[in-house]
Amino acid sequence: KNEVEQSPQNLTAQEGEFITINCSYSVGISALHWLQQHPGGGIVSLFMLSSGKKKHGRLIATINIQEKHSSLHITASHPRDSAVYICAVAGGTSYGKLTFGQGTILTVHP
Amino acid sequence: NAGVTQTPKFQVLKTGQSMTLQCAQDMNHNSMYWYRQDPGMGLRLIYYSASEGTTDKGEVPNGYNVSRLNKREFSLRLESAAPSQTSVYFCASSEWSYPFPFEAFFGQGTRLTVV
């Protein structure tokens, strides 16, 4: 069993839909990261969470430390949101090493 | 502010050739990392340098060597490339400090094909 599990692996939506991507992890962590990767592109950090909820524009990320679960929500999705979304976690004594989920491929159709 | 810069962006090697992937960060971070990304596998850690002067193996170090040249630069060397090393390579940096959460910054990636 992977330490970080994401679901779904693939997600197709129509423009304007509300999207949720889930991440579950099995180890103690100091922080959880949500990352975005456009096709052929680099990796961009969207959020770093250690508790609670963060919002940036149409993106919202939440984390429940007790349940070892995080969600990334996209409100009013747009075709430019089409990308791979990656969940990654870091343990407290990990020297900053990240363990990654396999990613969720999101495609938003106009 | 460039962040994390990797070179080259693309490379094709023949089996047995060697090459060095370069990475530099301008954020004065202590820690730097090399990951590889393969379809269906997610990103996996090759090597990391928790601080200047130290390097350690990650999950998949075989066939690679690294050098932390100074605080800014962390290079990854393939001594004798193999087709199994065809991948996308990402360099990352962070200001990790136990037990605090930290931001991670990634380069644009190097797309390497070994034929």
Side-chain angles (χ1 to χ4, degrees):
Chain A
K1 187 183 191 300
N2 293 332
E3 290 183 349
V4 183
E5 297 274 359
Q6 280 184 243
S7 62
Q9 292 188 354
N10 287 280
L11 183 55
T12 301
Q14 290 297 126
E15 184 173 356
E17 287 184 355
F18 181 86
I19 288 163
T20 296
I21 300 170
N22 295 299
C23 176
S24 296
Y25 55 92
S26 58
V27 297
I29 66 169
S30 63
L32 181 141
H33 300 252
W34 281 104
L35 310 167
Q36 180 191 56
Q37 184 179 24
H38 281 101
I43 295 172
V44 175
S45 178
L46 297 175
F47 295 104
M48 186 271 293
L49 293 160
S50 55
S51 65
K53 175 180 175 178
K54 287 189 176 180
K55 184 176 188 293
H56 184 250
R58 294 179 294 106
L59 275 60
I60 303 166
T62 64
I63 189 168
N64 185 319
I65 297 292
Q66 286 72 31
E67 294 186 4
K68 293 187 166 61
H69 182 269
S70 176
S71 294
L72 176 68
H73 306 288
I74 304 175
T75 62
S77 60
H78 190 276
R80 65 175 174 267
D81 297 326
S82 298
V84 178
Y85 292 85
I86 303 168
C87 172
V89 301
T93 57
S94 69
Y95 297 102
K97 297 177 287 182
L98 295 176
T99 302
F100 298 83
Q102 292 197 346
T104 296
I105 303 171
L106 172 64
T107 304
V108 182
H109 293 294
Chain B
N1 189 348
V4 180
T5 303
Q6 286 182 238
T7 55
K9 289 188 168 51
F10 300 92
Q11 184 71 50
V12 179
L13 288 179
K14 294 182 179 178
T15 298
Q17 286 185 320
S18 62
M19 79 163 293
T20 300
L21 282 65
Q22 307 286 354
C23 176
Q25 51 92 9
D26 61 2
M27 295 168 283
N28 203 36
H29 287 164
N30 283 325
S31 304
M32 298 184 73
Y33 314 85
W34 277 105
Y35 296 96
R36 60 177 289 173
Q37 183 181 38
D38 302 294
M41 300 292 293
L43 286 107
R44 294 177 293 168
L45 181 66
I46 305 171
Y47 269 93
Y48 68 101
S49 171
S51 61
E52 188 179 358
T54 70
T55 61
D56 282 288
K57 295 178 181 178
E59 183 183 351
V60 288
N62 290 346
Y64 305 96
N65 284 301
V66 290
S67 295
R68 184 74 183 266
L69 304 169
N70 48 55
K71 193 171 185 180
R72 287 187 68 246
E73 298 173 287
F74 188 38
S75 63
L76 178 71
R77 182 159 178 86
L78 287 71
E79 291 290 352
S80 179
S84 60
Q85 294 178 305
T86 294
S87 188
V88 182
Y89 292 84
F90 285 96
C91 179
S93 72
S94 74
E95 189 58 29
W96 174 83
S97 178
Y98 176 79
F100 303 103
F102 57 90
E103 296 262 11
F105 297 84
F106 292 82
Q108 287 295 303
T110 296
R111 284 148 181 83
L112 174 67
T113 302
V114 183
V115 297

